[in-house]
């Protein structure tokens, strides 16, 4: 999508592991000692295939959207999940960055910013997905653009909190989220300074 000069198709040394879905919906890819990991397809066109994951253990669940636009498959997989971890991109902020990069002569960076606008969910769309799924909590991750200060959180969220009745947080490096078994509690703790 960005071209070989920007995104090396060889994966910069990463080694892929193929996932073959059998149902077209959600398939279990790991199950051991009460832990079940399921995978489901998400829409990250033109990048395909792309996946989200759901982890279930002793009555608790975490659903991870993966990179995607607002997607029915995420909502279905996250049905009644305790925690939805959903990626989020603020389109208005990224458009400004694309225009600024172009105005400063960095056409490659401007193109990357423009390319990513159409295959990521906004904070409001992630909140709507969490609400539609009946999730208890939502943590936004893969934040684009990166936020150098918490003062930018309200602008980034763009009113997302009014679209979700549960707990909403922006994920940060070092955020530990705990879901104790035999409980409905969700605990947040920063483990890095």
């Amino acid at each position: 999508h960005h071209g070989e000069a920007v995104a090396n198709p060889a994966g910069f040394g990463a080694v892929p592991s193929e996932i073959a879905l059998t149902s077209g919906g959600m398939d279990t890819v790991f199950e051991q000692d009460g832990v079940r990991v399921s995978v489901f397809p998400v829409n990250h066109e033109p990048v395909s295939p792309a996946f989200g994951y759901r982890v279930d253990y002793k009555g608790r669940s975490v659903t991870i959207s993966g990179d995607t636009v607002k997607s029915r498959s995420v909502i279905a997989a996250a049905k009644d999940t305790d925690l939805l971890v959903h990626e989020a991109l603020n389109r208005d902020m990224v458009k400004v960055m694309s225009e600024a990069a172009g105005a400063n002569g960095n056409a490659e960076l401007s193109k990357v910013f423009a390319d990513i606008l159409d295959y990521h969910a906004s904070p409001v769309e992630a909140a709507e997905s969490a609400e539609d799924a009946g999730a208890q909590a939502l943590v936004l991750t893969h934040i684009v653009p990166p936020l150098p200060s918490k003062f930018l959180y309200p602008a980034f969220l763009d009113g997302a909190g009014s679209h979700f009745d549960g707990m909403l947080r922006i994920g940060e490096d070092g955020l530990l989220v705990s879901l104790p078994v035999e409980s409905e509690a969700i605990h947040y703790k920063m483990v890095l300074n």
Side-chain angles (χ1 to χ4, degrees):
H1 188 57
H2 303 306
E4 289 186 17
V6 175
N8 181 341
F12 297 99
V15 179
S17 176
E18 188 172 325
I19 297 173
L21 296 182
T22 58
S23 70
M26 190 158 58
D27 288 352
T28 299
V29 292
F30 176 86
E31 194 158 9
Q32 184 176 325
D33 299 327
V35 176
R36 184 177 65 245
V37 179
S38 304
V39 64
F40 55 93
V42 297
N43 182 353
H44 193 45
E45 294 294 336
V47 178
S48 181
F51 302 103
Y53 298 88
R54 179 172 169 136
V55 180
D56 289 275
Y57 179 69
K58 293 190 176 183
R60 302 306 305 264
S61 62
V62 176
T63 305
I64 304 166
S65 72
D67 276 4
T68 185
V69 296
K70 184 176 179 183
S71 172
R72 291 180 196 261
S73 64
V74 171
I75 295 166
K79 185 72 177 158
D80 298 324
T81 195
D82 294 297
L83 174 64
L84 174 58
V85 179
H86 204 297
E87 63 103 86
L89 176 144
N90 183 296
R91 291 183 186 100
D92 292 335
M93 290 177 166
V94 174
K95 284 178 190 174
V96 168
M97 294 171 68
S98 178
E99 292 166 3
N104 286 305
N106 193 334
E108 185 176 280
L109 184 58
S110 178
K111 178 184 178 347
V112 169
F113 286 142
D115 288 348
I116 65 175
L117 291 172
D118 59 356
Y119 57 83
H120 291 279
S122 72
V124 167
E125 291 167 334
E128 290 170 345
S129 294
E131 183 69 23
D132 291 347
Q136 183 179 343
L138 170 64
V139 171
L140 299 178
T141 187
H142 188 9
I143 304 299
V144 179
L147 303 173
S149 168
K150 290 183 181 190
F151 293 114
L152 293 172
Y153 285 12
F156 177 82
L157 289 171
D158 194 27
S162 65
H163 297 268
F164 177 56
D165 289 333
M167 296 179 286
L168 169 62
R169 288 197 60 155
I170 291 181
E172 302 173 66
D173 288 345
L175 177 64
L176 173 67
V177 183
S178 300
L179 286 75
V181 297
E182 299 180 12
S183 169
E184 291 186 11
I186 298 178
H187 302 289
Y188 302 93
K189 178 181 178 181
M190 291 302 296
V191 294
L192 296 176
N193 292 329

